[in-house]
Structure formats: structure tokens, C-alpha cells
Amino acid sequence: MPLSTRRKFVQQTSMALLGSMLVPEAINMQVIMTVTGPIKPSVLKFTLVHEHILVDFIGAKEQNKNRYNAQEVFETALPLLKDVKTKGCFGFVECTPMYLGRDVSLLHRLAMASGLTIITNTGYYGATGEKYLPAHVYKETAEQISGRWIDEWKNGIEGTGIKPGFIKTSVDKGPLTPTQRKIIDAAALTHLATGLTIGVHTGDGKAAREQLEILNARQVLPSARIWIHAQSEKDNAYHIEAARAGSWVSFDGVNQKTVQANVGYLQTMKGERLLGNVLVSQDAGWYHVGEPGGGKFQDYNCIFTELIPALKQQGFTPQEINTLFVKNPARALTIHLRKMA
Ligand SMILES: [Zn+2]
């Protein structure tokens, strides 16, 4: 069927599926929201907390769904998703935000076809010189911006009925620009209204610290924040400080070249008894819109084939590995209010 008809069909199918499920509106429902509906946190098993399927780097002004063939992306990604599922993956957090190629109908189709539990997001990406921010960000207040994100939580994304499972934002290195500060503030307001966890792609430790100050001003606890790309900060002291404050610290650049470095980060956090605040993922995938066939698509296997064997060799116990890949993702993604008393 033609692309537009198929897209409509997918959306209607998603709506029908979601209509029959429990769709919580209130905060503190203690569920995890996936693209196929809410699940109990105890249902979530081994989860990759930061991966991508489709990414379009053209910029907010020009980004749209006509720039790629969703069927081609589907056919490219599906075998790799099925492959990582056979390796033991259950949950898959897709971190591509809107204006950078978020396509929730595509994610829904891939979840159904692969059997993986896929989670999507709401929020804006303010890093990379703010190239991926829509123009309205500069005119609107944090309250108005958060209103748009809260609407996606309440009413679903782009008419599909599919809901975000977390907030994804991003900032460059500190100090943050006024607009980046506004986005973090909008994320704090969205958290207070929805209980969604705030993931922030972060340039360095100073930027990570400044985010917690903005959240603190809204009485949002550090445990509501995931410091995405913590490996971009080389000074461990920042990771330890953030984790001690209760924040999630995400080392999410695992690939063949960085396995040993990641073992090192995890050994440091283990030595500080902070593994309970650490997340690990790969930032893999990436069908690049605009490149023939999507360019090089990185598989999702490295954690299973290389990192976990290396961790075991260094004395990490099955319980510690379970903490990193099962317990922590479930806790980090459980939708509930984290506000100072
Ligand atoms: Zn990423």
C-alpha cells in the first residue's frame, strides 16, 4: 500500500491496540510506558537504556517524515533488533527526540515485529548549538514548552495514541545557554506534572551539575534525572558527586573500542558502592537519513558479546550485572513523582 495509507493504517492499529489498554493519566502510577502501552516495572527485564533506530541530522527546520522511506528503515533495523533479542535483550529505549527523527509509528511496528519492549520520549534536543530546536522555543516560556510535552503524555504523540516513557533533552558543555536552561526547566515542570524521568544528553560535568541546580529550584529530586553520556566527562569526581546526590549516571557509549574504558568506569563506581545509580548502554543503531540505505547501521550486540564477558572476568557478580541491566533500568524508568518533601 502507498506510504501515506500505510502510515494511517499503522496509526489506526496503534490506536486500537492502545485503546484496549490501561492508560494512566495520573502521576505515581508506578508503571513503565512503552510504545505498546504501560507495563509493570517488574515485567521489564534486560534493557538497553540508550539506543537509536532512525536519526536525521538535517536540523529542526527541514526535518520531516517525507525525507525517508519508513519501510526501508523498518527492514534495515528489524534483523538487528531480532538479533539482540536472541542475545537476551528485552527492553530497548529509543532516545531519538522529536526534530531529530523520532518516528513513533515506526517504533511501534518494530516493537510488534521484533518482540522487543521499546520506549520512546518527549522533549527537545538543545545541544549542538541548538540546531535541533524548533523556532517556538525562543518565543515560549518554560511553562508553554512543558505544556506541549505534557500534552504528548496525556493525549499521545502526533495522533497515534503512543505515549512517551521519559523526557529526553540535551545540552552542550556548561555553562548552559539561556535556552538550554529553559529546556531543563521545562523538563522539571513536565516531571512535576507527569512523573516522567528526565534524560539529559550532557556535554560535561559542569553542565550536569547546573542541571541539578535548575531541578532543585523546582524541588525536583536528582533521582528524576539521568545524566546521559556521562563518559564525556573524564573527571570521575563529577560522576561520583552526581550518583551520591541520587542522580542516574549513564555510561552509554559502549562499543568495541570502549569496552575496557567502560569496565574502568564501572569498577570505579563499584568501588564507591554506587552501582545502584549507574546505567549502561551503547548509543548504537543509527539509520542516517540522507545517506544511501541509511549508511552504516551499528548492531546492538557489544554489551552482550564483549562488555559482560569482560565484566565477569573482572569479578562482577551476576547480581551486579543484574543491577546494571535489569534493576536499574526498571527503577530509572518507573513513572513516579520525585519531589522534595
Ligand atoms: Zn544517543
Side-chain angles (χ1 to χ4, degrees), residues 43-330:
V43 170
L44 197 75
K45 302 291 184 263
F46 197 112
T47 294
L48 295 172
V49 292
H50 188 110
E51 307 295 336
H52 296 275
I53 290 172
L54 167 76
V55 185
D56 186 354
F57 290 112
I58 190 75
K61 250 187 230 161
E62 289 167 78
Q63 207 278 313
N64 71 75
K65 289 188 170 59
N66 297 321
R67 286 182 29 81
Y68 58 90
N69 178 339
Q71 183 59 25
E72 183 183 297
V73 185
F74 177 84
E75 286 166 12
T76 306
L78 183 58
L80 295 159
L81 294 171
K82 283 184 169 170
D83 189 19
V84 74
K85 184 165 186 282
T86 66
K87 303 236 171 353
C89 185
F90 179 98
F92 182 100
V93 181
E94 216 284 344
C95 282
T96 309
M98 59 182 123
Y99 303 108
L100 251 164
R102 184 190 63 171
D103 183 337
V104 298
S105 297
L106 173 70
L107 299 185
H108 184 269
R109 282 184 70 202
L110 284 167
M112 300 301 279
S114 68
L116 284 176
T117 293
I118 299 181
I119 293 166
T120 188
N121 65 84
T122 189
Y124 295 161
Y125 188 98
T128 326
E130 303 176 7
K131 182 183 175 187
Y132 303 102
L133 289 178
H136 63 248
V137 163
Y138 296 94
K139 297 180 206 118
E140 295 187 0
T141 62
E143 284 79 2
Q144 287 171 309
I145 295 164
S146 72
R148 293 171 181 267
W149 303 348
I150 294 163
D151 181 70
E152 289 200 333
W153 165 250
K154 283 189 176 158
N155 301 313
I157 297 167
E158 296 160 2
T160 60
I162 295 168
K163 298 193 170 193
F166 68 110
I167 303 158
K168 168 74 190 284
T169 60
S170 92
V171 301
D172 292 313
K173 290 182 179 178
L176 307 192
T177 66
T179 305
Q180 289 170 350
R181 288 185 64 89
K182 184 159 74 177
I183 289 167
I184 301 301
D185 197 27
L189 294 169
T190 305
H191 172 77
L192 292 172
T194 64
L196 290 169
T197 301
I198 304 163
V200 194
H201 161 125
T202 301
D204 66 359
K206 284 200 178 93
R209 195 183 269 166
E210 192 174 339
Q211 290 159 30
L212 290 190
E213 290 163 10
I214 297 166
L215 297 189
N216 185 62
R218 294 285 187 186
Q219 293 189 290
V220 174
L221 289 168
S223 56
R225 195 274 308 259
I226 301 173
W227 174 0
I228 293 172
H229 305 329
Q231 68 276 7
S232 299
E233 172 58 64
K234 297 301 169 206
D235 184 351
N236 284 332
Y238 282 98
H239 305 145
I240 293 165
E241 175 190 287
R244 283 205 183 122
S247 168
W248 295 100
V249 178
S250 177
F251 299 108
D252 43 35
V254 177
N255 60 48
Q256 280 159 345
K257 288 183 197 142
T258 64
V259 167
Q260 284 318 313
N262 278 282
V263 170
Y265 305 142
L266 297 174
Q267 281 177 316
T268 300
M269 298 307 266
K270 180 179 166 177
E272 300 290 331
R273 299 178 181 274
L274 289 170
L275 280 189
N277 287 76
V278 173
L279 299 166
V280 186
S281 205
Q282 303 165 136
D283 210 3
W286 304 48
Y287 178 104
H288 290 80
V289 175
E291 290 183 24
K296 185 173 161 29
F297 197 109
Q298 182 60 48
D299 71 57
Y300 304 108
N301 297 338
C302 188
I303 281 182
F304 295 91
T305 56
E306 300 198 30
L307 182 71
I308 290 177
L311 288 174
K312 284 182 178 163
Q313 219 169 35
Q314 293 302 319
F316 278 72
T317 65
Q319 287 83 352
E320 286 165 342
I321 290 167
N322 190 65
T323 295
L324 291 171
F325 295 102
V326 180
K327 272 172 76 180
N328 289 354

